[in-house]
Amino acid sequence: MLLTDQEYIRFSRHIMLDEVGEAGQIAIKQAHILIVGMGGLGCAAAQYLAAAGIGQLTLIDHDNVEVSNLQRQILFTTEDVGGAKVTIAKNKLTAINPKVKINTFYQSVFDLNLTALMPKVDVVLDCTDNIDTRYFINYTCLKAKRKLVSASAIQGQGQLISFDFAQKGSPCYQCLVPEKVSSTRNCSSLGVLSTLLGVMGSLQATEVLRLILNEYQILNQLLIFDAWQMSFKRLVLTADPECQCCKHPIKG
């Protein structure tokens, strides 16, 4: 697969980077990224990935746009209220980059065969805010030995971590969060700074591009961003020998 003349122009600022170059941009063009959740994180990540030249995006979300989403879910406008998030996102991402192929699933991730999608996907983005969903995505990626980039944002703090489950001995998301936290701890109940979603979604997109370009230095490291202090911390995660997911997998 080669780049067209128009793609050379469009992605010239990437191509001139030593870390990307023509080969890297071709790798980006060939990549297929799955995004679960088109809320604040998914909106930001999807826009940057489409603009960066990702070849294929698959979007999963069962929600419609609500007025309260507009504070942080920047793909959507007032006119979009009531519409399916994935449908509106597809139209707007296509406007950003008509060359990206976009697949949509207007349904819960629990209601589709996520495992069947895995062989076609290079990296999965968990942009959800529900612990049951996060556990499910983590387990599915683990079984399929896929790369997973997970982010969260609540109040003024964001977290980012990525895994490559093809690597032997990799920890997983459940090693980080072994106990289910209360489902009431989310943006709806505790609030969130709007721009924090943009920061964390952009970091997710950045990590996806890094992984496509074979940059694996921060795998299994929890990045914590405090918006109020404008500070970052990084913690190394190791596999939990008692993990119910990666060390004692659920049968089925």
Side-chain angles (χ1 to χ4, degrees):
M1 180 182 290
L2 300 176
L3 299 176
T4 66
D5 291 343
Q6 282 299 311
E7 287 171 332
Y8 270 106
I9 296 170
R10 186 174 188 124
F11 304 114
S12 60
R13 271 48 171 191
H14 267 177
I15 294 168
M16 66 178 62
L17 296 173
D18 291 340
E19 295 86 351
V20 183
E22 181 179 357
Q25 190 61 45
I26 290 172
I28 292 170
K29 180 180 178 179
Q30 293 175 323
H32 181 182
I33 309 303
L34 171 63
I35 303 177
V36 186
M38 286 307 298
L41 295 169
C43 282
Q47 287 184 87
Y48 271 109
L49 291 174
I54 289 293
Q56 186 171 179
L57 293 172
T58 294
L59 314 177
I60 301 174
D61 199 306
H62 66 284
D63 280 340
N64 296 330
V65 179
E66 299 178 3
V67 171
S68 61
N69 300 150
L70 303 180
Q71 167 248 18
R72 63 201 178 279
Q73 297 179 18
I74 56 173
L75 266 180
F76 311 128
T77 64
T78 303
E79 291 74 20
D80 298 321
V81 171
K85 288 183 179 181
V86 290
T87 302
I88 297 165
K90 178 178 180 177
N91 293 336
K92 296 190 177 182
L93 295 171
T94 300
I96 292 172
N97 181 3
K99 296 295 185 181
V100 62
K101 179 181 179 181
I102 302 177
N103 317 299
T104 62
F105 290 90
Y106 178 39
Q107 60 192 114
S108 167
V109 70
F110 293 108
D111 294 333
L112 58 85
N113 189 347
L114 188 61
T115 299
L117 296 177
M118 289 293 125
K120 308 171 186 177
V121 170
D122 297 295
V123 186
V124 177
L125 268 68
D126 183 348
C127 299
T128 67
D129 63 356
N130 177 281
I131 191 64
D132 290 320
T133 309
R134 289 183 177 275
Y135 274 14
F136 178 66
I137 295 169
N138 174 72
Y139 181 55
T140 306
C141 290
L142 177 69
K143 288 196 301 181
K145 298 184 179 180
R146 282 294 175 265
K147 299 178 182 68
L148 170 64
V149 181
S150 178
S152 63
I154 193 166
Q155 296 187 318
Q157 186 180 90
Q159 297 185 353
L160 174 81
I161 193 164
S162 55
F163 308 98
D164 181 1
F165 293 124
Q167 295 190 357
K168 186 177 180 180
S170 171
C172 74
Y173 181 79
Q174 204 162 327
C175 294
L176 175 66
V177 187
E179 300 292 336
K180 289 188 178 182
V181 295
S182 171
S183 60
T184 60
R185 287 187 54 83
N186 53 39
C187 296
S188 299
S189 62
L190 297 177
V192 65
L193 184 67
S194 61
T195 51
L196 178 61
L197 280 301
V199 172
M200 302 313 299
S202 298
L203 287 174
Q204 276 187 291
T206 302
E207 179 64 353
V208 167
L209 295 178
R210 282 169 34 81
L211 292 174
I212 292 169
L213 298 169
N214 297 314
E215 298 288 342
Y216 294 97
Q217 299 94 326
I218 67 165
L219 284 175
N220 313 325
Q221 296 184 39
L222 179 66
L223 187 68
I224 303 171
F225 173 62
D226 187 321
W228 303 122
Q229 300 299 320
M230 289 296 283
S231 63
F232 284 92
K233 292 192 295 185
R234 186 178 293 170
L235 304 172
V236 176
L237 177 68
T238 56
D240 179 358
E242 299 302 319
C243 179
Q244 296 300 307
C245 182
C246 62
K247 297 303 177 184
H248 304 287
I250 301 168
K251 302 298 181 182

